[in-house]
Amino acid sequence: GCKKKSGGYVKMKNLKKKSIILGLMILAGTCVFAQPIKFSAKDIDGKNVSEAVFADSKITMVNVWGTFCGPCIREMPDLGVLDKKYGDDFQIVGIVIDTVNSKGLVNAKTVNSAKNIVKTTGADYLHIIPDFSLLNGVLSEVYAVPTTFFVDSSGKIVGKVYTGSRTLKQWQEIVESFF
């Protein structure tokens, strides 16, 4: 059947098909965030790191950032303070999105830039160079930096995903909502 829709007719069959496709696209996006994060990567100092890092704290704040991103860098001193504030129940992990290209090859110049930024800002928590598991998994849903989400000790994303930078006070309110 047909249903009148502002200025014309739309076949219900097509409308249903589009709704189903949209629903599946939304579901596919949320599935990435529903699965525990798994990866085997290196940090910016070349040390091996995996999802086991999440077991170290009740809540891990994962901050996806880029060396080219002013707002990312401006919030990093506050994140450095926040990382030390809550003890063993909380940690921050950075993922430096632009340290690899679309083929997964590491750009040494960008890694050095990331190291300098970390040193300058005092954001001396763990910063990861993403591997294929991260790029094709949770990072495939990141469209802007900074993007921040929270992970429980089993590696599952909890709470909201935040796009954009925040002040120390704003991040403290968000973090404290987990405790």
Side-chain angles (χ1 to χ4, degrees):
C2 291
K3 185 174 186 175
K4 182 139 173 79
K5 181 163 175 145
S6 59
Y9 289 91
V10 177
K11 287 188 177 177
M12 288 302 286
K13 188 191 264 184
N14 286 344
L15 192 58
K16 285 180 185 173
K17 190 185 291 182
K18 286 179 184 174
S19 296
I20 290 169
I21 290 170
L22 180 62
L24 288 173
M25 286 170 53
I26 291 168
L27 185 62
T30 55
C31 286
V32 170
F33 285 112
Q35 300 299 316
I37 299 170
K38 297 202 178 298
F39 65 95
S40 179
K42 295 201 179 285
D43 68 10
I44 60 173
D45 295 318
K47 295 180 187 136
N48 292 330
V49 61
S50 73
E51 69 277 354
V53 71
F54 300 134
D56 294 343
S57 294
K58 179 180 174 188
I59 292 292
T60 299
M61 178 180 184
V62 179
N63 179 254
V64 183
W65 66 283
T67 60
F68 58 88
C69 170
C72 300
I73 296 165
R74 282 191 294 277
E75 81 173 347
M76 287 174 73
D78 288 343
L79 297 181
V81 168
L82 194 64
D83 183 56
K84 294 168 182 61
K85 183 172 172 78
Y86 297 98
D88 293 339
D89 285 341
F90 176 77
Q91 68 179 339
I92 299 178
V93 171
I95 299 178
V96 197
I97 194 95
D98 61 333
T99 52
V100 293
N101 65 19
S102 60
K103 294 181 173 125
L105 299 174
V106 176
N107 181 328
K109 186 177 175 185
T110 308
V111 172
N112 283 333
S113 180
K115 287 180 187 181
N116 288 333
I117 291 167
V118 167
K119 185 176 179 183
T120 304
T121 61
D124 57 356
Y125 44 84
L126 176 67
H127 294 272
I128 297 172
I129 298 169
D131 68 346
F132 273 118
S133 299
L134 287 169
L135 291 171
N136 295 321
V138 70
L139 296 181
S140 70
E141 296 296 318
V142 172
Y143 298 103
V145 291
T147 292
T148 304
F149 52 90
F150 294 84
V151 179
D152 67 15
S153 59
S154 67
K156 281 194 165 186
I157 294 177
V158 294
K160 289 174 42 177
V161 176
Y162 298 87
T163 303
S165 60
R166 305 283 189 284
T167 65
L168 177 59
K169 186 175 189 291
Q170 289 170 322
W171 279 129
Q172 283 175 311
E173 288 173 8
I174 293 165
V175 169
E176 287 171 8
S177 73
F178 288 103
F179 297 107

